[in-house]
Amino acid sequence: MRRVSYRTIQQHGYVVDFYENTLAVLNKDKNRLDEMLSFRAVENPDKVRFFLLDEEGEIEESATFQQMHDWACRIAGLVDRFMPERSRVVLCFENGTASVAGFFGCLYANMEPVSGVYPAMLGSADRLFEIVEDCGAVAVLGTRETLMGFRRQADGRAAGLKWIPIEGAEQAKPLHRRHAAALDDIAYVQYTSGSTGHPRGVKITHRNVGANLQQLMLRGNLWAGESGLIWLPLSHDLGLVSVLYCIGAGGALWLMRPEHFIAKPERWVQAIDRYRLSFSAGPNFAYELLAHRVPDTALEGLDLSCWAWSFIGAEMIEQDTVERLFQRYMPLGLKKSVLRPGYGMAETTLMIASGEGDGKEVVSFEIVSRYALAEGRVAPPQTAYDKRAVANCGRVIEGHAILVVDPESETCLPEGQVGELWLSGPSVTPGYVNCEVENRERFIIGDDGRRWFRSRDLGFMQQGCLLVSGRLDNGVLIDGQRYDPADLAQAVRQACPLFHSRGVAVFRYEGLLCVMGELSLTHIRQTEGHKDVLAAMARAMRRVCPVKHIRCVLVRQGGIWRTPSGKVRLSATCAAYAEGRVPIVQEQRFGPEFLERIEVLAWGERPL
């Protein structure tokens, strides 16, 4: 990575690093997360830096750094009335200026804000009460309307919980307990999505945030004064850290509600063009929506040459999505260097590997054998159906390390072999909330004396770059080999285009491989039978793995269980299917008499 020089000085009572590209950020070893906003309030108080867009792309809310700081101080004074310092407060806000002020208000009062609930998401009430019970939160902070909605659904849960409407801050006495927290104190708790099990509360310290944001800025090649658009829910780690990234760099933050983006994905690019914004972020499915679900008429006259970079990660990056995105948007000024791949999770604050940020790199893929990956090795594909494109997630960020380890023997593996990813560095969490057993299992001290986090992700290194191939906990065993269900689901979607992004789930039920696909209500109404679709699903699976028995299931939209961020919850989907809580449209079991007629080529000398 190219080196960027900087000098450290005192400014307005803060220790500040000035970079050669005019970027001024707080020194990560001298400042806490709460000081990020208070510094900007004295450094650039009067310029409007926070915006919320409505459904039409018009500005619905706005605030300066000073206004946001003053609001946060009043919220700090409000929450201080109800609880002692270091208490946990669950945040319940939709995207907007209040969500930012509420987060920093808790920090100013030296509380521990808990992120993970987005009120507009399906199942948010159950998730709220699960999080409250899990982390021992004593209060919930949100708008009066939102809190009233949750209280009506409490049904006796969380007795004694304090409900604090943010509107009460209008009359509160301002408070800012600067320097109250140490760098290794918990800054906030971020709950995971729960895609592979029960959601966990990840402890994020002030040191974790400072270290990760510094690397994000350097890898993003961020310059002072840039503007970013975030539509992801701020309850999600990618949404929240993107906001902190923007404030930390002193740029303008433009917010959009996730439901507005999902309803009309073109709103994302239309806002970037209209307000000349330079950076954004999103998981693969968001770019897939841009690539496939935006009508041509919505793109007329757009100029996306201002879009300098956009993070892509949080789930498997698909080659078809990237290629289709550029095919549609390069004529509108989108550059191939815009997409910056990365790898990380809440346990690493956000990112631990990414592209170099030199403005020249593009997303690249390695074409490898799907069957070899299932055996734990990397090799060229043997047939067309054996091809799998795995995204290059870049190099580990400075000051951090990634090992590829055999999950059973716990020995390090060389390049070209697939293993569990062990992660280490100052961005890595000290552990989960109230999970002592799991903390002992997942966080270990290596022979080198370094502390490592066992990610349960699978991947391999190639020429110093990381490529992620799946999840250890999600893998499905077929003929003794471990296949990635996300990859198998993608193969089905490619064979059956009627399934939308995240519209297929692959799991095992009673020892049988199950493939579940969601049908839209329109398709169900217009089609009497679905035998052809079921057969196509079975054929797609047989062509990419040596399956001998399979159950194909079609369900109505919403039948596949998802996390608040939209990821497929395989274990929850399987449990719902087992308990008869899935809206089945049609299903069929296929055996050897059907599957063995499908033309596939042998892998080496092993017949399928």
Side-chain angles (χ1 to χ4, degrees), residues 9-10 27 52 85 163-164 182 201 230 251 275 305 321 347 397 430 439 441 460 464 499 515 566:
I9 66 168
Q10 286 274 349
N27 181 279
L52 173 67
E85 293 181 58
W163 302 84
I164 306 176
I230 306 300
Y275 298 105
S305 60
T321 296
E347 289 87 343
I397 59 178
N439 285 339
E441 294 173 349
F460 58 95
F499 297 130
V515 184

Side-chain angles (χ1 to χ4, degrees), residues 513-530:
L513 189 67
C514 291
V515 184
M516 183 178 290
E518 283 186 335
L519 294 178
S520 68
L521 292 177
T522 302
H523 184 86
I524 293 172
R525 292 192 189 105
Q526 295 176 350
T527 310
E528 290 186 6
H530 307 281

Side-chain angles (χ1 to χ4, degrees), residues 260-322:
H260 293 169
F261 162 71
I262 297 297
K264 289 188 175 182
E266 58 265 30
R267 288 170 173 154
W268 187 8
V269 288
Q270 288 171 346
I272 288 174
D273 166 64
R274 179 175 179 179
Y275 298 105
R276 310 311 295 161
L277 308 179
S278 53
F279 69 92
S280 194
N284 183 88
F285 91 90
Y287 299 97
E288 184 172 348
L289 293 180
L290 286 185
H292 296 283
R293 279 189 47 192
V294 175
D296 290 337
T297 54
L299 302 179
E300 292 177 0
L302 292 189
D303 174 14
L304 299 179
S305 60
C306 59
W307 199 356
W309 75 275
S310 195
F311 179 79
I312 179 171
E315 61 186 9
M316 291 295 177
I317 303 171
E318 297 181 5
Q319 187 177 30
D320 176 69
T321 296
V322 173

